[in-house]
Amino acid sequence: MRSMGYKTISVVLLVAVGMIIMAASHKQESQKKQEIFDRNVATVKALFQGFVDGDLDAQMELYADDVKGNPAQYNGNVLIDKQGVRETLKFFHDNFKDIVFHEGVGLTTGKSNGFFGGSAYPLNNNPNIVATYGTWTPTHIETGKKIFNKYHSVGEFNDAGKIVYFSEFWDVSGIQVQLESTAQSAESE
C-alpha cells in the first residue's frame, strides 16, 4: 500500500515539475518575442524620428538592402526597392517640414498605443511583424499649410532588426485636397 502511495506521489511530482518546466520555457519564449517586438518598434520610432530630424541617411540605414515596399499611392501594384524607398522619403523631406508622427492618434477617440503585432497580438504570434497606427502632421513647405493624415502600416523585420517589407495605408489624395483648400483660401483673401 505504501509503495502505491509513493508511486502516486512520484507521478504527481513528475507532472508538476514538467508543468513548471513547460511554463518557464513558455515564459522565456514569450519574453524573447517581446524583446524582438520592442526592438522592431524602436526601429519604427527611429525611422519616424528621421523625419523629425530631416536625416534621410539615418532612415535608410533601418532598411535591409533587399527591402520591398508596397506604397500607399497607386503605382501599378509594383513593389518598390530600396532606391524607391529613398526617393519616396526624399520627396517628403523636400516638400514638408515639421514632420511629426502622433502615435495611436486616430485609432481611437483618444491617444493609444500605436504599435501592434507579434507577441502583443496573439493571432499573429510573429514578433517580426509590426502594425503601426497614428496621424502625421507635417507642414507643406511651399504653402505653409499644416496637414493631417491618418496612417497605418504593416512592416516585417529580419533577424538583424532591419525592415525587409512594408505595406502602407494612408490617404494620398487627402494631402492634395488639404493643399488645394489652402490655395483656394489664399485666392479668396
Side-chain angles (χ1 to χ4, degrees), residues 41-117:
V41 168
T43 298
V44 174
K45 288 182 176 185
L47 177 70
F48 294 170
Q49 186 64 42
F51 274 120
V52 173
D53 298 339
D55 193 342
L56 181 59
D57 291 331
Q59 287 179 291
M60 292 309 299
E61 283 296 315
L62 302 171
Y63 290 95
D65 290 338
D66 60 346
V67 65
K68 296 295 178 204
N70 188 4
Q73 70 275 14
Y74 180 74
N75 70 344
N77 296 321
V78 175
L79 295 177
I80 60 174
D81 61 9
K82 194 165 184 177
Q83 183 58 36
V85 171
R86 182 177 197 73
E87 290 167 7
T88 300
L89 294 175
K90 184 168 177 4
F91 170 83
F92 285 101
H93 282 271
D94 290 347
N95 290 283
F96 296 92
K97 65 180 182 174
D98 305 325
I99 301 173
V100 178
F101 180 71
H102 305 276
E103 174 185 328
V105 173
L107 181 62
T108 65
T109 57
K111 184 175 178 178
S112 68
N113 176 22
F115 302 95
F116 300 91

Side-chain angles (χ1 to χ4, degrees), residues 1-79:
M1 193 78 158
R2 244 184 177 164
S3 75
M4 181 97 144
Y6 289 129
K7 285 183 183 179
T8 303
I9 290 172
S10 296
V11 168
V12 169
L13 285 174
L14 282 173
V15 168
V17 168
M19 290 175 68
I20 291 170
I21 291 171
M22 286 176 27
S25 174
H26 177 71
K27 185 175 180 178
Q28 286 177 338
E29 179 184 343
S30 181
Q31 281 179 310
K32 178 68 175 163
K33 285 182 177 182
Q34 188 65 49
E35 289 169 8
I36 293 168
F37 178 76
D38 291 344
R39 176 204 65 198
N40 294 334
V41 168
T43 298
V44 174
K45 288 182 176 185
L47 177 70
F48 294 170
Q49 186 64 42
F51 274 120
V52 173
D53 298 339
D55 193 342
L56 181 59
D57 291 331
Q59 287 179 291
M60 292 309 299
E61 283 296 315
L62 302 171
Y63 290 95
D65 290 338
D66 60 346
V67 65
K68 296 295 178 204
N70 188 4
Q73 70 275 14
Y74 180 74
N75 70 344
N77 296 321
V78 175
L79 295 177

Side-chain angles (χ1 to χ4, degrees), residues 68-71 151-155 165-169:
K68 296 295 178 204
N70 188 4
Y151 177 82
H152 169 69
S153 69
V154 177
Y165 175 80
F166 66 89
S167 188
E168 294 182 310
F169 309 90

